[in-house]
């Protein structure tokens, strides 16, 4: 048995109590009683500093993310930036983090966050005079199975339009960069030069020095004991030292995020998980190296390993059945005084990963262990943070749920600072929008998804990935029970929605792949159904809002870059940012004079509602906006025989002359009252039916029965997306009102367009584009960020 294995099984078990007595005691007891006193002048002094009773932005939480935001806001020129930390900077998850930094991210948008973080960390020491302990030996993601090689190739296809350096390298190059590896199973590697690790404490202190240098004020210990909204959209932030009136507040409190959110009525879906890593003593083979080893991520072994001085640091991600949630903190709150403490380790959980690491890096077998860390890190259900303004409370922002706070801190600080200062996000990061969750995100769902996400840290990242823990939620459409056994379901904002349908003889089930897989043929069959006959699709997950009131037309004129439709008509409109970027695409129907139905994508429901509510508050509009997403079910009926089927069930004239494209009518279908909107799928006839949720199953069954002679059948969202893409249908409205972004659009038009959307046909036998692939022209990326498939 190896020395490394023995150390874990004997030495640490025997001596861990003594070790924990050293690292787990509170650094000091914090006295939260007021420490006010009057200084030499007439300024009120708190904690040795002048107390601010008003601020542009109050940031709550002194981990690396919160301090980064303070630094970026102050550097951007915002006056009166205040950060409040309940105990000490870095308390929580920052101080014990492994500090990994990487350009890599499987998503296209978070790559930008990682990029901005690394570029900041490279220059921060020179800017602030504070050492940050930044090491950049690069990193290698190791592929040891053929499907992992496919995964690396998939990621390479999506990278070159972005400035992130990333290369697919051979086993020979991997051995050159990391000579201590056992190469028996290594097939390829994804190499990111410039990756590495940073000391989280030093990073945070350098950011704090920079924040102070640019004028931000940091108070600690300063517990936030209360948050009270004011009538004009500001906040009174209560502390033992006094109250600060803030134009906005930002919750950046890590695993305290739920408790801070609960002060204003939110149960943020965040939960702490136990993460362990092990640090070795000096390893002679490591000490003998002339250059620092790159960080490796053994994807099959589900661990990372990096050099730590002349030893190694190894951190695994256990599978969901072995990982541990600190779910008592969700139920009972974080224990008072917890800040720079650790959990007791559970070594049995990581033994499988230890064995795999020793096989991959044989020098580990003879390494002595000097440290083991088991601390809390915060997870959301999907492992992504919650970043931005929160719907339901004006000027309340979140920067919470960071499972990888160190690499996110610099980029997220800049992202939020740019948004706060300019009034719009600098780029799309909707996957991190805090409003992607809703009341359907229950504690059981949160716990199930956090377990799944932790275990999924190093699983194969397929396109069209589905994760099934915690499903279904309480968001199921009126036809879910009828369809769930016939379809491969997708998850959209809490809803179950059919992606494609099985037939006898089909290879059913979820079978992800980087190549054409079991859904390809059936989706083609569904496309043919809609183009030649008639199909029905469940579109219930659409976000739906009713807007009415004296100022409804005026509000929508301001929000949307299009003329509002007349009563009984529908159009597609866009909400723009002040600089003319598209913030949202919405289908608008005027039902009765001054009453509008707005339809948006499922993932944009609360994202778009927050934007509208903010404009209502800013402009003092006399309107009522109701979120009716869960009250109304939606069925799409499309194809050349759609009219024949629907006409059997209604007295309403469904002919072209009577029911024109983008018209809306209240109709009775099979004896049930609903609204129908004439739309188009690939140029074929189509209607969307908006039905009271309780009547949805009855309407669906009536349609399917009526369409038997026409060959009616179900189709899913994969077929719908394919049909719409092939049509390339886009509708633009006329400019008329002083809508948000109008001046910017006029300027863009005057200067001439620099980019346009083009459609490209590819010939391929087995691998199809999934979106965001790099477009090459004559051996070069044609135009960097513009050159990607959508």
């Amino acid at each position: 048995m190896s020395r490394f294995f023995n150390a874990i099984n004997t030495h640490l078990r025997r001596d861990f109590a003594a070790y924990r007595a050293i690292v787990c005691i509170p650094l000091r007891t914090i006295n939260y009683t007021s420490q006010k006193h009057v200084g030499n002048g007439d300024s009120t002094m708190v904690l040795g500093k002048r107390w601010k009773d008003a601020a542009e932005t109050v940031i709550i939480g002194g981990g690396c993310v919160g301090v980064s935001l303070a630094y970026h806001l102050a550097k951007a020129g915002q006056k009166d930036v205040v950060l409040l930390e309940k105990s000490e900077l870095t308390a929580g998850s920052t101080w014990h983090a492994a500090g990994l930094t990487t350009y890599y991210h499987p998503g296209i948008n978070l790559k930008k966050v990682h990029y901005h973080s690394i570029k900041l960390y490279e220059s921060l020491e020179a800017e602030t005079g504070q050492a940050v302990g930044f090491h950049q030996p690069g990193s290698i993601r190791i592929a040891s199975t053929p499907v992992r090689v496919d995964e690396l190739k998939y990621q390479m296809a999506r990278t070159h339009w972005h400035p992130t350096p990333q290369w697919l390298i051979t086993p020979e190059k991997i051995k050159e960069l990391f000579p201590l590896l056992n190469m028996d199973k290594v097939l390829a590697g994804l190499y990111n030069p410039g990756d590495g690790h940073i000391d989280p404490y030093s990073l945070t202190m350098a950011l704090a020095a920079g924040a102070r240098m640019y004028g931000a004020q940091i108070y600690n210990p300063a517990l936030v004991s209360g948050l009270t909204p004011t009538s004009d959209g500001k906040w009174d932030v209560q502390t033992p030292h006094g109250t600060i009136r803030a134009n906005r507040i930002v919750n950046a409190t890590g695993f305290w995020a739920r408790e801070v959110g609960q002060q204003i009525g939110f149960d943020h879906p965040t939960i702490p998980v136990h993460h362990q890593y092990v640090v070795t003593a000096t390893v002679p083979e490591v000490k003998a190296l002339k250059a620092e080893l790159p960080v490796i991520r053994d994807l099959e072994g589900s661990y990372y390993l990096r050099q730590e001085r002349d030893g190694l640091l190894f951190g695994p991600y256990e599978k969901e059945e072995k990982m541990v949630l600190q779910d008592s903190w969700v139920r009972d709150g974080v224990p008072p005084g917890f800040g720079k403490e650790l959990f007791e380790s559970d070594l049995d959980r990581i033994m499988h990963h230890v064995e795999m690491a020793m096989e991959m890096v044989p020098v580990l077998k003879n390494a002595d262990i000097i440290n083991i860390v088991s601390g809390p890190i915060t997870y959301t259900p999907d492992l992504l943070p919650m970043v931005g303004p929160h719907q339901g409370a004006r000027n309340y922002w979140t920067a919470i749920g960071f499972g990888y706070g160190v690499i996110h801190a610099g980029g997220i600080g800049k992202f939020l600072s740019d948004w706060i200062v300019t009034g719009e996000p600098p780029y799309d990061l909707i996957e991190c929008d805090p409003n992607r969750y809703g009341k359907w995100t229950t504690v059981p769902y949160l716990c199930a998804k956090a377990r799944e996400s932790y275990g999924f840290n190093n699983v194969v990242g397929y396109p069209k990935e589905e994760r099934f823990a915690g499903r279904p939620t309480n968001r199921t459409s009126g036809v879910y029970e009828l369809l769930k056994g016939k379809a491969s379901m997708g998850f959209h904002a809490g809803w179950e929605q059919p992606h494609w349908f099985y037939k006898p003889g089909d290879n059913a089930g979820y079978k992800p792949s980087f190549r054409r897989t079991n859904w390809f043929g059936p989706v083609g069959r569904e496309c043919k159904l809609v183009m030649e006959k008639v199909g029905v699709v469940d579109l219930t997950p659409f976000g739906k809002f009713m807007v009415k009131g004296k100022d409804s037309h005026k509000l929508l004129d301001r929000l949307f870059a299009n003329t509002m439709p007349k009563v009984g008509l529908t159009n597609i409109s866009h909400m723009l940012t002040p600089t003319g970027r598209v913030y949202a695409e919405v289908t608008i129907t005027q039902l009765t004079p001054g009453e509008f139905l707005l339809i948006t994508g499922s993932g944009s429901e609360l994202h778009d509602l927050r934007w509208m509510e903010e404009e209502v508050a800013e402009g003092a509009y006399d309107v009522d906006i109701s979120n009716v997403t869960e009250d109304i079910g939606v069925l799409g009926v499309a194809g050349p025989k759609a009219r024949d089927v629907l006409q059997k069930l209604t007295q309403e004239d469904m002919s072209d002359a009577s029911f024109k494209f983008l018209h809306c009518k209240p109709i009775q279908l099979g004896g049930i009252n609903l609204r129908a909107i004439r739309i188009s799928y690939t140029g074929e006839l189509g209607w969307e039916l908006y039905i009271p949720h309780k009547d949805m199953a009855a309407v669906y069954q009536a349609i399917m029965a009526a369409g038997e002679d026409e060959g009616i059948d179900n189709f899913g969202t994969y077929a719908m997306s394919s049909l719409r893409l092939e049509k390339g249908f886009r509708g633009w409205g006329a400019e008329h009102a002083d809508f948000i972004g109008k001046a910017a659009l006029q300027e863009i038009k005057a200067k001439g367009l620099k980019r346009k959307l083009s459609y490209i046909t590819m010939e391929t036998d087995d691998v199809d584009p999934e979106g965001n692939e790099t477009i090459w022209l004559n051996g070069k990326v044609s135009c960097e960020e513009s050159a990607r498939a959508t």
Side-chain angles (χ1 to χ4, degrees):
M1 188 176 288
S2 72
R3 287 169 59 188
F4 186 77
F5 199 96
N6 276 328
I8 290 180
N9 279 280
T10 59
H11 174 76
L12 283 176
R13 292 184 187 279
R14 184 177 63 248
D15 294 338
F16 184 74
Y19 162 73
R20 190 160 63 93
I22 296 172
V23 301
C24 295
I25 59 173
L27 295 185
R28 58 188 171 96
T29 301
I30 305 298
N31 183 353
Y32 288 114
T33 57
S34 178
Q35 300 181 38
K36 283 187 182 180
H37 66 274
V38 178
N40 295 330
D42 59 0
S43 298
T44 299
M45 302 296 289
V46 170
L47 305 170
K49 306 165 188 174
R50 180 182 298 174
W51 179 254
K52 287 182 175 290
D53 57 10
E56 277 282 320
T57 302
V58 168
I59 302 159
I60 309 168
C64 57
V65 173
V67 178
S68 172
L69 177 55
Y71 160 83
H72 280 95
L73 281 173
K75 186 174 181 179
Q78 185 172 109
K79 306 300 182 184
D80 298 324
V81 176
V82 173
L83 185 145
L84 302 174
E85 162 54 45
K86 71 190 294 287
S87 58
E88 302 179 37
L89 297 184
T90 76
S93 296
T94 298
W95 75 276
H96 63 74
L100 299 179
T101 57
T102 178
Y103 283 115
Y104 176 85
H105 194 278
I108 62 166
N109 296 320
L110 277 162
K111 274 185 171 70
K112 297 178 183 178
V113 172
H114 288 205
Y115 181 84
H116 288 310
S117 289
I118 289 176
K119 292 307 175 186
L120 170 65
Y121 301 164
E122 288 175 342
S123 62
L124 192 60
E125 183 172 338
E127 180 183 2
T128 65
Q130 299 284 319
V132 296
F134 194 20
H135 297 247
Q136 294 184 274
S139 77
I140 307 170
R141 303 177 70 83
I142 294 174
S144 54
T145 66
V147 73
R148 289 291 189 182
V149 176
D150 277 352
E151 180 182 19
L152 302 191
K153 291 178 178 179
Y154 172 69
Q155 287 299 329
M156 284 303 301
R158 296 152 57 88
T159 193
H160 285 293
W161 59 268
H162 192 275
T164 294
Q166 184 168 289
W167 308 102
L168 187 65
I169 59 175
T170 64
E172 293 75 20
K173 183 63 176 178
I174 296 171
K175 184 68 173 178
E176 176 187 332
L177 293 169
F178 202 115
L180 304 182
L181 281 184
N182 172 7
M183 302 299 294
D184 289 350
K185 296 182 179 179
V186 176
L187 300 178
L190 198 68
Y191 177 51
N192 288 102
D195 283 9
H197 54 96
I198 195 168
D199 174 39
Y201 179 87
S202 298
L203 167 64
T204 306
M205 293 306 161
L207 289 167
R212 294 185 184 104
M213 182 173 69
Y214 293 116
Q217 192 66 269
I218 298 175
Y219 297 108
N220 67 289
L223 174 73
V224 172
S225 56
L227 296 168
T228 305
T230 65
S231 60
D232 58 352
K234 297 183 180 182
W235 291 89
D236 283 338
V237 183
Q238 288 99 35
T239 80
H241 313 296
T243 297
I244 304 174
R245 175 67 59 89
N247 289 357
R248 71 188 57 80
I249 55 175
V250 183
N251 182 349
T253 55
F255 53 69
W256 290 280
R258 284 181 68 88
E259 295 179 41
V260 172
Q262 285 167 353
Q263 294 187 28
I264 55 176
F266 293 118
D267 285 313
H268 295 311
T270 62
I271 188 170
V273 304
H274 292 221
H275 179 63
Q276 301 183 101
Y277 63 81
V278 175
V279 183
T280 77
T282 294
V283 177
E285 294 88 345
V286 174
K287 186 174 183 179
L289 296 171
K290 295 181 180 180
E292 183 176 353
L293 291 167
V295 179
I296 64 166
R297 291 173 174 83
D298 181 356
L299 303 178
E300 288 300 300
S302 190
Y303 64 84
Y304 57 83
L305 184 145
R306 69 168 176 84
Q307 187 171 334
E308 174 70 7
R309 297 185 175 87
D310 291 329
L312 296 170
L313 183 152
F314 155 78
Y317 292 97
E318 307 95 302
K319 291 185 177 179
E320 59 185 288
E321 63 269 17
K322 288 194 173 184
M323 64 85 65
V324 174
L325 296 175
Q326 195 61 32
D327 50 1
S328 65
W329 290 8
V330 174
R331 181 181 64 251
D332 305 323
V334 182
F338 193 100
K340 286 199 169 181
E341 291 72 44
L342 296 172
F343 301 128
E344 186 169 351
S345 67
D346 182 354
L347 304 168
D348 290 336
R349 296 205 324 259
I350 67 172
M351 293 314 301
H352 170 69
H353 305 279
V354 167
E355 292 168 357
M356 295 191 75
M358 289 191 300
E359 182 182 2
M360 184 66 74
V361 187
V363 297
L364 270 177
K365 296 177 181 178
N366 296 314
D368 291 320
I369 310 304
I370 61 170
N371 209 347
I372 186 167
V373 174
S374 179
I377 57 176
T378 307
Y379 267 41
T380 61
D382 61 9
L383 191 53
L384 296 176
M386 299 170 63
V387 178
H390 203 290
Q391 187 271 332
R394 286 186 69 193
N395 296 315
Y396 172 65
W397 297 59
T398 61
I400 58 177
F402 291 90
Y404 309 99
V406 171
I407 185 55
H408 287 154
I412 289 296
K414 177 172 172 52
F415 176 84
L416 282 177
S417 173
D418 289 351
W419 193 346
I420 289 169
V421 170
T422 67
E424 63 180 274
Y427 51 87
D428 180 27
L429 202 59
I430 194 170
E431 62 266 48
C432 296
D433 189 275
N435 306 299
R436 68 187 185 273
Y437 299 117
K439 294 179 180 179
W440 54 269
T441 316
T442 62
V443 170
Y445 172 84
L446 165 63
C447 292
K449 297 305 286 187
R451 284 187 179 278
E452 179 187 56
S453 292
Y454 190 84
F456 267 68
N457 261 287
N458 288 305
V459 300
V460 178
Y462 289 106
K464 295 182 172 64
E465 182 182 67
E466 288 292 325
R467 299 183 180 183
F468 297 96
R471 294 170 52 182
T473 71
N474 59 11
R475 275 192 153 183
T476 54
S477 80
V479 295
Y480 171 71
E481 292 296 329
L482 298 174
L483 302 181
K484 66 180 183 180
K486 304 175 182 179
S488 179
M489 290 287 181
F491 188 75
H492 302 274
W495 297 95
E496 299 291 326
Q497 186 175 28
H499 277 166
W500 61 280
F501 286 83
Y502 316 141
K503 293 291 184 185
D506 287 343
N507 182 9
Y510 174 64
K511 307 284 176 64
S513 176
F514 295 101
R515 302 170 188 274
R516 288 182 182 171
T517 184
N518 60 332
W519 56 261
F520 187 81
V523 170
R525 179 177 65 215
E526 292 173 18
C527 290
K528 185 177 181 181
L529 166 76
V530 175
M531 290 191 293
E532 296 180 358
K533 298 180 181 178
V534 55
V536 180
V537 61
D538 181 8
L539 301 174
T540 300
F542 283 158
K544 315 170 197 78
F545 314 111
M546 298 294 294
V547 180
K548 58 185 178 180
K550 187 181 81 169
D551 293 337
S552 60
H553 204 294
K554 179 181 176 183
L555 168 68
L556 298 181
D557 270 343
R558 173 65 177 161
L559 281 170
F560 291 95
N562 202 348
T563 303
M564 287 303 101
K566 297 178 180 179
V567 173
L569 299 183
T570 298
N571 68 24
I572 298 172
S573 299
H574 295 84
M575 288 193 287
L576 305 181
T577 68
T579 59
R581 296 175 177 175
V582 174
Y583 187 81
E585 181 178 273
V586 178
T587 300
I588 302 177
T589 303
Q590 188 166 186
L591 303 177
T592 63
E595 181 185 22
F596 296 85
L597 173 64
L598 276 58
I599 308 297
T600 189
S602 58
S604 302
E605 176 191 341
L606 300 183
H607 169 271
D608 294 358
L609 180 59
R610 186 209 65 81
W611 186 269
M612 292 189 288
E613 289 176 339
E614 182 67 20
E615 181 61 25
V616 170
E618 291 289 334
Y621 293 89
D622 183 3
V623 296
D624 176 71
I625 302 178
S626 301
N627 186 351
V628 295
T629 298
E630 296 183 7
D631 302 329
I632 300 175
V634 185
L635 292 174
V637 183
K641 298 182 180 180
R643 176 187 291 113
D644 297 338
V645 174
L646 295 178
Q647 193 66 76
K648 296 179 184 180
L649 297 169
T650 182
Q651 296 299 312
E652 185 71 38
D653 185 355
M654 305 298 285
S655 67
D656 282 336
S658 179
F659 207 141
K660 297 179 180 179
F661 179 58
L662 292 181
H663 280 224
C664 173
K665 292 185 179 184
I667 68 172
Q668 194 174 77
L669 201 70
I672 295 171
N673 295 320
L674 53 87
R675 291 186 184 274
I677 300 176
R678 171 87 179 272
I679 45 82
S680 172
Y681 293 86
T682 68
E684 303 296 341
L685 284 171
W687 278 267
E688 285 176 357
L689 309 177
Y690 291 82
I691 311 159
H693 194 274
K694 63 181 178 61
D695 297 326
M696 190 176 177
V699 171
Y700 169 83
Q701 290 171 321
I703 292 171
M704 298 302 285
E708 285 186 5
D709 291 344
E710 286 76 14
I712 197 169
D713 211 339
N714 297 294
F715 70 103
T717 57
Y718 284 2
M720 185 177 72
S721 296
S722 178
L723 292 168
R724 287 185 172 180
L725 181 63
E726 290 188 9
K727 181 174 177 59
F729 178 78
R730 287 170 286 161
W732 298 93
E735 300 178 5
H736 74 295
D738 187 20
F739 54 82
I740 297 170
K742 180 177 181 179
L745 279 189
Q746 290 172 332
E747 183 178 352
I748 292 169
K749 183 178 179 181
K751 290 181 178 179
L753 295 177
K754 296 181 179 179
R755 297 186 298 172
K756 69 175 182 178
L757 179 65
S758 300
Y759 288 85
I760 300 173
T761 300
M762 292 186 62
E763 294 184 6
T764 176
D765 296 326
D766 189 34
V767 179
D768 295 304
E770 292 289 342
N772 298 303
E773 288 87 356
T774 304
I775 305 298
W776 294 79
L777 180 65
N778 298 327
K780 295 181 180 180
V781 178
S782 60
C783 189
E784 293 189 356
E785 288 213 22
S786 300
R788 57 188 175 96
T790 57

